Amino acid sequence: MSAWREGLVVPLRRDGVAVETIEGEVLLYDARQARAVYLNPTGAVIWGLCDGIRSVADICNALREVYPDAASLPAHVAEALSSLKESGFVHFD
């Protein structure tokens, strides 16, 4: 089983990403790539937890406190992190 599936990878936000909060919505902007990404509230929480210390499993556990009834939480976290990685806003250690 891969480290990703076990939740052992540790996501880290890329340096140089501008974060703008407008009326409660979060927008990430990377000037190097001329790329912007809008985050929904859950995505913004996931982004905030990508500190280079917490593993994917730790992020899921933190979100379970906020969304205790979300059965598909690990899949949603994996999808959000994959999207952030593909967009170049996070990388995995």
Side-chain angles (χ1 to χ4, degrees), residues 10-92:
V10 177
L12 177 63
R13 295 180 298 260
R14 292 251 182 228
D15 290 332
V17 174
V19 180
E20 184 127 3
T21 304
I22 305 168
E23 296 180 15
E25 298 182 347
V26 175
L27 180 73
L28 305 179
Y29 179 71
D30 185 348
R32 293 175 304 180
Q33 298 182 63
R35 182 177 290 196
V37 171
Y38 162 78
L39 300 177
N40 65 24
T42 305
V45 172
I46 292 168
W47 164 259
L49 294 171
C50 294
D51 58 7
I53 297 170
R54 292 178 181 93
S55 68
V56 172
D58 294 334
I59 291 170
C60 288
N61 290 334
L63 286 172
R64 276 192 188 95
E65 293 177 18
V66 179
Y67 305 104
D69 297 328
S72 60
L73 187 62
H76 289 301
V77 170
E79 182 181 335
L81 290 172
S82 292
S83 179
L84 287 168
K85 182 178 186 282
E86 287 174 19
S87 300
F89 290 97
V90 299
H91 62 93
F92 300 118

